[in-house]
Amino acid sequence: VNFVVLIFTMLLILYGVYAFWDTRQVYGAASAQKYETYKPKKDDSVSFEQLQAQNPEVIGWLHVYGTKIDYPFTQAEDNSKYVNTDVMGEYALSGSLFLDCMNAPDFSNFNNIIYGHHMRNGTMFADLVKLRDQRFVKKHDLIRLYLPEKTIDLTIVSAYAGKVQRIPITFKSKEAKEKWEDEIKNRSEIISRKKLEGRIYTFVTCSYERENNRTYVYAIERKNTK
């Protein structure tokens, strides 16, 4: 009996060690530091071009100031590929940040949607929940998109948690567009005096307050966009 108990205890210990190692691997793959060397620089984009050479589906870089969100992002022919694939094209539970497959890669649509996982260690899109806090957004309301041909600076105008919903990219009428804009402003947990003018940029991740909840963050272009 003692021998059986000893074997069982050793198996539990081994499983615990493996589970700890596996968790570190998952979170390590989700760390922004893994990609830091590829981040586009103001006067030098060679490193980012090297990343694109490894994976042509890497189309830009996203930095949400004041948070850990500082990652390259991708776009595939469908939205399932990068749920569990990193930007190097390798399998990873943390996946990648990715632009909706129905969006134009140059962000020319009215609404441009980027998705990402909410990792429980605070990586990937976990920090989007901070943008639902008025005090935080007052200090940190800048989101920057680096694209091959330009840089787009954004200002946060709405953020809230809600059930999974279909997010429109285009609208059949002006009235439908205005109704949707009113909805996202009215549901916002932060207050913004900015009008919803021009293109909208939407960022989506899981939100753990309730089942099937998501955090939605909406932003518009700043006037100094280059």
Side-chain angles (χ1 to χ4, degrees):
V1 173
N2 289 338
F3 178 76
V4 172
V5 171
L6 177 62
I7 294 297
F8 182 71
T9 302
M10 291 181 65
L11 288 174
L12 285 177
I13 292 172
L14 288 173
Y15 177 77
V17 171
Y18 169 77
F20 177 75
W21 173 85
D22 186 58
T23 299
R24 286 181 61 88
Q25 292 294 106
V26 170
Y27 288 153
S31 173
Q33 294 179 348
K34 178 180 178 180
Y35 306 108
E36 188 174 357
T37 185
Y38 296 107
K39 184 175 180 177
K41 305 298 190 298
K42 185 175 182 180
D43 301 316
D44 181 13
S45 62
V46 174
S47 58
F48 184 65
E49 291 172 357
Q50 290 172 343
L51 180 59
Q52 289 184 304
Q54 295 182 58
N55 181 4
E57 291 184 327
V58 174
I59 63 169
W61 194 285
L62 172 67
H63 185 192
V64 181
Y65 281 71
T67 76
K68 297 177 183 177
I69 302 171
D70 197 9
Y71 291 93
F73 61 90
T74 60
Q75 185 182 38
E77 293 183 355
D78 63 76
N79 285 340
S80 62
K81 178 175 181 178
Y82 285 101
V83 171
N84 292 129
T85 302
D86 67 18
V87 297
M88 301 298 187
E90 302 292 333
Y91 175 78
L93 288 173
S94 55
S96 307
L97 307 186
F98 61 92
L99 180 68
D100 192 288
C101 64
M102 300 301 294
N103 276 124
D106 62 354
F107 286 79
S108 58
N109 295 117
F110 166 72
N111 188 19
N112 306 275
I113 310 164
I114 295 181
Y115 304 93
H117 283 302
H118 180 162
M119 303 300 290
R120 292 186 182 274
N121 71 330
T123 54
M124 300 304 287
F125 257 3
D127 274 355
L128 281 186
V129 298
K130 293 181 178 180
L131 305 183
R132 290 160 45 195
D133 183 281
Q134 185 71 40
R135 291 173 296 179
F136 184 87
V137 173
K138 188 175 181 179
K139 295 180 180 179
H140 310 286
D141 74 333
L142 173 61
I143 298 175
R144 178 164 289 170
L145 286 170
Y146 298 91
L147 303 178
E149 303 298 328
K150 60 182 176 179
T151 299
I152 304 174
D153 284 350
L154 308 174
T155 296
I156 301 160
V157 292
S158 175
Y160 59 84
K163 291 292 185 181
V164 175
Q165 59 183 290
R166 176 185 170 275
I167 307 172
I169 292 175
T170 59
F171 294 88
K172 294 181 179 180
S173 66
K174 179 181 178 182
E175 290 74 19
K177 171 178 171 290
E178 291 176 348
K179 181 179 179 181
W180 181 77
E181 290 175 337
D182 287 341
E183 179 183 350
I184 67 174
K185 288 288 285 185
N186 291 336
R187 295 184 66 182
S188 181
E189 297 172 26
I190 63 172
I191 299 172
S192 173
R193 296 180 180 177
K194 300 286 185 181
K195 294 182 179 180
L196 291 176
E197 298 177 334
R199 296 187 183 95
I200 304 294
Y201 297 77
T202 302
F203 306 91
V204 184
T205 192
C206 290
S207 201
Y208 298 124
E209 305 93 339
R210 298 179 182 87
E211 187 177 357
N212 293 324
N213 235 33
R214 299 289 184 270
T215 286
Y216 300 94
V217 175
Y218 302 91
I220 58 174
E221 294 181 10
R222 294 192 175 200
K223 293 182 180 180
N224 65 342
T225 293
K226 301 177 182 179

